[in-house]
Amino acid sequence: MSKRTYNIFFHLHTVSGIVITVGLYVIFFAGAFTLFFAEIEAWERSRERRDSAPGIARSPDPIDLDRLMRELGRQGYELYGRDLYIDLRAPGARQPFFLAASKDSLATGQAKEGATLHLDRETYAVTAVARQSSATLGGLLYELHFFYQLGEFGYYLSGVVSLLFLFAMVSGIIIHWKKIVSNFYLFRPYGKLKTAWTDAHTALGVIGIPFQFMYAVTGAWFGLGILVATSGAILYGCDRETYEEAMHGHRHDDILGPRIDLDDVRLGSYLDSASWKWEGFELTFIALNNVASQGMTINIYGEVDPKVSLFNYGELEFDVVSGRINHMHDPYHKRYEEVVSAFVHRIHFGYFGLEGWRHTVVKVLYFLLAIITCFVIITGVLIWLEARHKNNVPEKERKFNQGVGYVYLAICLSLLPVTALAFLASKLMPEHLAAYGGTIINSVFFGGWLLASVFFALKRNNSFTNTYTLLTGGILGLCIPLANGLVFHIIDILWLALSVSALTAVWLMESAPTRARKRK
């Protein structure tokens, strides 16, 4: 490779990496916890945790949709023109579901607003719960992973960051290719600071290459879906609607039509038909569309044993009035485009058809690789700072670079203690404030993150920032299992390991000068 070509790739690697530093760090840090979304949800709410504990299984009886419709009507809910969504995988006796706002232009009162509700699977009593954006910590971290807090722009931004990450990865491999094996085994912790960071950056970067490449590609697929759809539609005669249907399923019409009496239809029969359609088909999700109208449909989703078929999801859509099947996805037979879409989702979220402890092991491995990637990002910034802190660099440029470094590290590293604080706030929140849980958690997380970032940025000392974010994060993290009553849920164990690692890193950093002097 010529020197000019090398310099082009080197600068591409450096610039693309520095530009996306904060965004990429946030994506991987939040994504690491998002892998345990269901576990965080169960840990966060004491009742759900008790319901899902060993020996307290969810009711095996299928949900009675007809009884649910009658109960909603009895409580005064206007159902005409509304959609209803039920996730059957929720643990415990309380079944959450969502009732969307009516599509009827003449709707009034509560029918004009969506409602999050809970159904008692035993008594069929329906209760309303406050619906707020990121009402749980698991939801907040999931949204942060895709920058959902910024709306649709944030989702596309996450895709742009993933695409630039792909550029940074490929260019990094090219410039290090000749020494990628030898440098992998090279680690000089007692050498120059830049040397230590470079060795760590290279070694850990090589370890995470397959994982990081996968996330760069799949993250761009998700975030830049609009571009994928535009190019993918070429295969379908430039018909984007046909492409979307092939990749993401049937799109039903929102034509309401005249009212119908729900007492004249039996919704439970459609659930029975779906259960009998394929051998071993277990229902996971139900969507009722255009309820109580002539255009009412019911979409029933489910899965077969992943050992039989990795891409094991299936779907049936019934026209409620006529009883005919509008659309069907066979879990045993998938088209090419369906397999591609399913494969991207599977590898991005670490689901390979494993169950129990094997699935947990995969998620823990993903978690560790995500945290390692965060470390690679930070070491990349430190290398960049050390390389530009030279006498031949103009003073003004050096100060600017240092200022950027202070801000970058403050924003990134303060995420650890702030996230630990948010977990504590969620667990220690008084019961009477539960209705304001979303507001409190968002305030603690984003307010604490802003204050911590400003404090450490103004401190203008990267060593101080590094030490005290790890120290406070480690101490707060150790308090999380205590706040949970030493139950040692998977989330408690995760935080215990993370906290011990953070405190060990602080000890190693503080004792490094002493050990270096002894070596001399």
Side-chain angles (χ1 to χ4, degrees):
M1 183 189 301
S2 66
K3 185 175 181 180
R4 182 175 180 276
T5 303
Y6 177 89
N7 287 336
I8 289 174
F9 281 110
F10 181 83
H11 289 299
L12 176 61
H13 178 72
T14 303
V15 173
S16 59
I18 290 299
V19 167
I20 63 174
T21 291
V22 174
L24 191 62
Y25 187 95
V26 171
I27 286 174
F28 273 99
F29 188 89
F33 286 95
T34 298
L35 292 165
F36 294 91
F37 176 83
E39 289 82 356
I40 293 174
E41 294 279 292
W43 176 90
E44 195 172 3
R45 298 179 177 178
S46 57
R47 177 171 177 177
E48 278 79 355
R49 191 170 66 255
R50 287 196 301 272
D51 289 343
S52 60
I56 308 179
R58 191 181 68 188
S59 171
D61 299 329
I63 192 167
D64 188 335
L65 285 180
D66 300 290
R67 186 177 176 184
L68 173 59
M69 293 297 107
R70 290 194 297 270
E71 180 63 24
L72 289 171
R74 190 187 67 80
Q75 292 196 16
Y77 285 95
E78 172 56 60
L79 298 177
Y80 177 70
R82 306 182 79 165
D83 295 341
L84 189 147
Y85 306 101
I86 308 174
D87 187 348
L88 300 175
R89 295 166 297 186
R94 287 198 305 171
Q95 173 65 62
F97 65 100
F98 179 67
L99 189 61
S102 177
K103 301 166 189 171
D104 182 11
S105 59
L106 301 178
T108 60
Q110 51 86 6
K112 297 171 64 177
E113 299 179 358
T116 301
L117 306 165
H118 276 166
L119 169 70
D120 189 308
R121 294 287 294 266
E122 298 174 359
T123 66
Y124 272 72
V126 174
T127 55
V129 295
R131 180 174 180 266
Q132 302 177 12
S133 176
S134 296
T136 65
L137 185 56
L140 183 151
L141 291 170
Y142 179 84
E143 291 184 3
L144 185 63
H145 177 61
F146 291 104
F147 300 155
Y148 276 146
Q149 283 85 358
L150 300 177
E152 189 174 341
F153 168 76
Y155 191 65
Y156 293 144
L157 179 61
S158 69
V160 172
V161 170
S162 298
L163 190 60
L164 290 176
F165 180 44
L166 185 61
F167 291 157
M169 273 197 64
V170 173
S171 56
I173 292 172
I174 290 173
I175 63 177
H176 292 298
W177 182 252
K178 288 186 176 180
K179 297 182 178 179
I180 200 167
V181 175
S182 59
N183 286 358
F184 175 75
Y185 296 100
L186 186 63
F187 188 56
R188 296 158 289 182
Y190 303 111
K192 293 181 180 180
L193 197 58
K194 181 176 180 293
T195 302
W197 291 133
T198 301
D199 291 345
H201 184 78
T202 303
L204 294 176
V206 170
I207 291 173
I209 282 176
F211 174 80
Q212 293 159 11
F213 184 83
M214 177 272 292
Y215 262 117
V217 173
T218 58
W221 168 284
F222 286 124
L224 297 178
I226 187 172
L227 298 181
V228 175
T230 301
S231 57
I234 297 174
L235 301 175
Y236 295 84
C238 295
D239 186 340
R240 185 169 169 181
E241 288 190 5
T242 304
Y243 166 81
E244 291 286 354
E245 181 173 332
M247 297 301 293
H248 306 295
H250 178 64
R251 305 178 73 174
H252 56 80
D253 296 327
D254 286 334
I255 300 174
L256 296 181
R259 287 178 180 266
I260 63 171
D261 189 343
L262 290 176
D263 291 334
D264 295 336
V265 297
R266 185 171 176 269
L267 299 175
S269 64
Y270 295 111
L271 298 186
D272 295 337
S273 297
S275 299
W276 299 333
K277 182 67 177 177
W278 298 292
E279 183 180 357
F281 188 63
E282 295 187 5
L283 309 188
T284 59
F285 194 87
I286 301 170
L288 299 174
N289 304 294
N290 305 323
V291 175
S293 81
Q294 193 74 28
M296 182 177 178
T297 60
I298 176 171
N299 289 72
I300 303 169
Y301 303 84
E303 297 177 348
V304 296
D305 191 336
K307 295 178 182 177
V308 177
S309 173
L310 177 59
F311 308 115
N312 59 337
Y313 66 92
E315 176 193 358
L316 280 168
E317 179 180 288
F318 293 95
D319 182 282
V320 171
V321 174
S322 67
R324 70 175 183 272
I325 296 177
N326 291 341
H327 177 73
M328 179 175 65
H329 273 298
D330 189 330
Y332 291 103
H333 301 92
K334 290 283 185 293
R335 300 192 304 272
Y336 171 76
E337 58 269 21
E338 292 178 306
V339 171
V340 170
S341 180
F343 178 73
V344 171
H345 282 78
R346 288 285 195 265
I347 63 173
H348 190 87
F349 293 104
Y351 179 71
F352 300 101
L354 302 175
E355 297 178 351
W357 67 269
R358 293 179 179 85
H359 184 46
T360 301
V361 168
V362 171
K363 290 197 288 187
V364 169
L365 179 61
Y366 264 54
F367 182 89
L368 292 175
L369 288 170
I371 296 300
I372 286 175
T373 303
C374 290
F375 186 79
V376 171
I377 295 168
I378 293 301
T379 52
V381 175
L382 294 172
I383 293 169
W384 178 76
L385 288 174
E386 287 296 317
R388 279 150 185 79
H389 191 62
K390 297 178 179 178
N391 293 330
N392 62 341
V393 177
E395 181 68 19
K396 186 176 181 180
E397 186 177 333
R398 271 192 291 168
K399 287 185 177 180
F400 175 79
N401 292 337
Q402 289 297 316
V404 170
Y406 296 141
V407 173
Y408 275 17
L409 292 182
I411 295 174
C412 294
L413 296 179
S414 59
L415 261 180
L416 176 64
V418 166
T419 304
L421 182 63
F423 270 82
L424 285 174
S426 173
K427 181 55 59 179
L428 300 177
M429 189 186 306
E431 191 68 29
H432 67 278
L433 296 178
Y436 308 99
T439 301
I440 293 172
I441 292 173
N442 275 283
S443 299
V444 170
F445 186 89
F446 290 107
W449 192 13
L450 175 62
L451 292 174
S453 298
V454 171
F455 171 77
F456 287 116
L458 293 177
K459 192 69 179 177
R460 299 178 65 81
N461 187 323
N462 289 335
S463 178
F464 178 90
T465 299
N466 193 24
T467 299
Y468 282 94
T469 51
L470 288 173
L471 183 62
T472 54
I475 293 173
L476 290 172
L478 288 178
C479 294
I480 291 174
L482 295 174
N484 198 34
L486 296 177
V487 175
F488 289 109
H489 185 278
I490 181 64
I491 299 303
D492 301 319
I493 297 172
L494 211 60
W495 270 110
L496 186 63
L498 201 57
S499 300
V500 170
S501 299
L503 295 175
T504 302
V506 172
W507 177 77
L508 290 174
M509 287 189 298
E510 292 299 312
S511 61
T514 303
R515 287 184 281 114
R517 285 194 296 270
K518 288 182 179 180
R519 287 174 63 90
K520 293 178 181 180

